Amino acid sequence: MDDSRGMRLRGTGHAHAKVILIGEHTVVHGTPAIAVPVRRLQIDAIAYLGGTNTTTGPIAPDTARSGTDQAVQELLRQWGITDATVDLRLHIGIPPARGLGGSAACTAAAVRAVAQLCGRELDAAQLYESVQFGERIAHGRASGIDTAAVLASDPIRFERGESRPAACGVRAGLIIADSGIRGETRPAVAAVAARLGDDPRRGSEILTHARELVEESAEFLSAGRIAELGRALSEFHRVLGGLGVSLPRLDHLAEAALRAGAYGAKLTGGGLGGCVIALADPDTESQQRIRTALTEAGAIRTWVTTLGGAS
Ligand code: MEV
């Protein structure tokens, strides 16, 4: 039922998680990156007219929640809706502060729910802009890759605000292991910017190397060259370590995955905590071996998503 402003009583929205396969951090400085949607982890939002905001499931970090709330307020302002209070209920099925795109997915789900509540259609560009508005509040400097990836249904290649499908000829399991350590993206992004700025010549060498690894990975991914893709992912983990965003626990998890037969392993997302991903054969036996090794090495939980199949 609509009221006189075209508003309904309730709107719903959903958005899924993502992992960055390769290229996090350097993507903020203009290099390409590849991200993969993780549809099995998702945030559900319900927007009602009136009331106060509620979150269910693990509580999102304040900055993430505040990015979401401010993106919603901005949207209502743009639509000239100043006389309505929106009660936003979020069920958070993506562990927050783990580099899985939780803040972007929160905002995407909320914005979709509020658009439906208000009887408005958002096109892809408006949705992207609205989620990016929240991400800039949550992360400070945000490249846009998290926003693009939580809105995408297939792997993407992202560079300087533009995303396009990443061709995927690899069939693999991607194991995601939670280190149990909260990783806040904002300080990690600031630390990398400082590191690159301290020694601009070295910084530019690092960015060139990162670009080469991502370009090669895009080719390996497209051509189904899983072993070479794995090696590039592990090398990128070392690049991220050199930028100061790995931790001994993340290195330890990546090494455990490699010892258990993964083709490659690296931290994913902002780092300084969060998750490690490991590239595995598509068969469940090798995936289980790697998951067990990751758990024994201290991962508090693991998930599997697939490359080249339903995620
Ligand atoms: C966070 O998932 C990815 C970063 O590269 C930040 C960004 O691109 O906005 C660390």
Side-chain angles (χ1 to χ4, degrees):
M1 195 179 73
D2 291 2
D3 74 0
S4 57
R5 294 164 300 193
M7 292 189 74
R8 300 176 183 162
L9 294 178
R10 182 175 181 275
T12 56
H14 315 275
H16 53 67
K18 63 87 192 120
V19 288
I20 297 184
L21 190 64
I22 187 162
E24 52 274 89
H25 281 294
T26 58
V27 69
V28 176
H29 303 274
T31 68
I34 301 170
V36 178
V38 181
R39 285 194 286 265
R40 57 179 307 172
L41 300 177
Q42 123 164 359
I43 292 187
D44 304 303
I46 309 181
Y48 298 93
L49 267 189
T52 51
N53 287 339
T54 326
T55 304
T56 60
I59 302 298
D62 288 348
T63 47
R65 182 64 211 231
S66 131
T68 296
D69 286 343
Q70 290 191 45
V72 165
Q73 293 308 327
E74 173 62 16
L75 206 55
L76 293 172
R77 196 191 58 73
Q78 284 172 17
W79 289 335
I81 300 173
T82 50
D83 56 344
T85 322
V86 174
D87 178 8
L88 201 51
R89 298 188 187 196
L90 297 173
H91 181 267
I92 297 183
I94 303 176
R98 295 298 198 275
L100 299 177
S103 63
C106 240
T107 306
V111 160
R112 282 173 162 153
V114 170
Q116 195 183 79
L117 177 78
C118 297
R120 309 282 172 133
E121 292 281 334
L122 284 170
D123 65 25
Q126 288 167 321
L127 186 57
Y128 177 87
E129 261 323 304
S130 191
V131 178
Q132 264 303 87
F133 185 90
E135 282 295 276
R136 283 186 214 106
I137 292 163
H139 289 179
R141 194 169 168 184
S143 69
I145 191 169
D146 286 17
T147 298
V150 304
L151 298 174
S153 38
D154 291 299
I156 55 164
R157 177 198 159 106
F158 182 93
E159 185 171 2
R160 294 185 187 276
E162 298 286 326
S163 63
R164 55 183 157 94
C168 181
V170 162
R171 267 190 45 75
L174 205 52
I175 296 155
I176 307 166
D178 184 348
S179 69
I181 303 171
R182 291 176 70 90
E184 302 292 350
T185 302
R186 180 185 268 272
V189 167
V192 169
R195 177 83 59 124
L196 291 171
D198 278 351
D199 183 347
R201 203 173 59 83
R202 179 74 195 121
S204 139
E205 284 166 8
I206 293 170
L207 293 178
T208 301
H209 183 43
R211 173 177 288 279
E212 284 164 4
L213 286 171
V214 177
E215 299 290 11
E216 282 171 15
S217 296
E219 279 181 39
F220 299 148
L221 182 67
S222 166
R225 290 157 65 183
I226 189 169
E228 288 143 301
L229 177 62
R231 279 197 289 277
L233 300 190
S234 295
E235 174 58 18
F236 205 85
H237 179 77
R238 287 187 279 277
V239 170
L240 291 169
L243 288 172
V245 293
S246 192
L247 293 177
R249 172 96 61 99
L250 300 175
D251 295 344
H252 182 61
L253 289 173
E255 282 153 20
L258 292 175
R259 274 198 306 276
Y263 289 106
K266 62 180 275 294
L267 72 85
T268 187
L272 294 179
C275 292
V276 161
I277 52 169
L279 187 68
D281 270 323
D283 69 280
T284 44
E285 208 178 299
S286 28
Q287 290 174 13
Q288 194 47 52
R289 200 173 50 245
I290 295 167
R291 290 179 86 168
T292 304
L294 283 162
T295 305
E296 284 170 6
I300 61 165
R301 58 197 147 178
T302 61
W303 304 269
V304 184
T305 187
T306 51
L307 265 180
S311 46

